[in-house]
Amino acid sequence: MADASIQDRQPDPALFAFLEQTLQLIDRGLDYEILTNIFEMQILSRFGVSLNIHECCVCHRVGLPFDFSFRLGGVLCPDHYDRDERRAHWDPNALYLLDRFQAVKFSELETISIHDEMKKELRKCLDQLYDEYVGIHLKAKKFIDSLGSWGEILKD
């Protein structure tokens, strides 16, 4: 993902440092799935994608049970769900976390505790965002996504 976000043969020290921080936190034992989600949210802008996940795209209210609108590139509050009949119907808690992921600084992270069901929801949301707005399908990502099922194979 990091490689796909930069030009070939163009060094990017900031991206390298961010990737290195991510890997160091994984090495320290923090949740690799959530760190990956944070990384993915924060590099979306490198693909030219700017999403409004913090406030309603229509009325700009915050702190409500939002849903995502691909058409508007951001969230809608319950009063404006009707603005996009094809809205995503995502869990509002997942959108809250994605909003937090956009702004979190790794230096502030000490622990991560998110339930498995929410991790699955976050993965689904991020996959849909990347499919819709970025359009890249990396073989390495498919491999990494399949690692979770390897535990069951090894048990047999």
Side-chain angles (χ1 to χ4, degrees):
M1 186 80 56
D3 183 49
S5 73
I6 58 174
Q7 298 273 335
D8 288 341
R9 295 179 176 72
Q10 295 293 320
D12 190 330
L15 180 62
F16 180 80
F18 185 45
L19 180 58
E20 186 177 37
Q21 275 185 310
T22 305
L23 295 172
Q24 286 172 349
L25 289 173
I26 290 170
D27 196 43
R28 281 197 354 221
L30 271 81
D31 190 312
Y32 76 92
E33 292 171 289
I34 299 304
L35 290 169
T36 301
N37 295 161
I38 293 168
F39 185 86
E40 289 172 316
M41 278 305 292
Q42 291 194 12
I43 68 166
L44 263 173
S45 62
R46 292 174 169 274
F47 294 102
V49 178
S50 177
L51 303 174
N52 176 9
I53 300 181
H54 184 69
E55 63 184 19
C56 178
C57 290
V58 178
C59 67
H60 307 288
R61 291 188 300 167
V62 297
L64 297 168
F66 294 124
D67 195 6
F68 191 78
S69 168
F70 287 101
R71 187 172 60 79
L72 298 174
V75 293
L76 296 170
C77 72
D79 290 344
H80 298 106
Y81 285 169
D82 62 339
R83 297 285 178 109
D84 187 351
E85 65 282 350
R86 294 180 50 223
R87 62 191 170 87
H89 297 280
W90 290 346
D91 183 326
N93 293 317
L95 286 165
Y96 170 80
L97 288 170
L98 292 176
D99 179 41
R100 301 288 299 168
F101 291 173
Q102 283 184 319
V104 72
K105 292 179 176 59
F106 280 158
S107 60
E108 298 170 356
L109 276 179
E110 294 180 16
T111 62
I112 298 173
S113 179
I114 296 178
H115 295 288
D116 288 341
E117 287 304 311
M118 182 53 64
K119 287 181 188 181
K120 289 177 187 171
E121 181 71 15
L122 289 166
R123 178 78 272 138
K124 179 191 82 169
C125 296
L126 280 161
D127 286 348
Q128 288 178 347
L129 287 173
Y130 269 83
D131 285 348
E132 179 73 21
Y133 293 110
V134 179
I136 60 171
H137 303 281
L138 304 171
K139 289 180 186 177
K141 183 184 176 325
K142 289 179 185 177
F143 172 76
I144 291 169
D145 288 346
S146 73
L147 288 177
S149 63
W150 284 34
E152 294 302 316
I153 293 170
L154 294 174
K155 285 180 186 176
D156 295 338

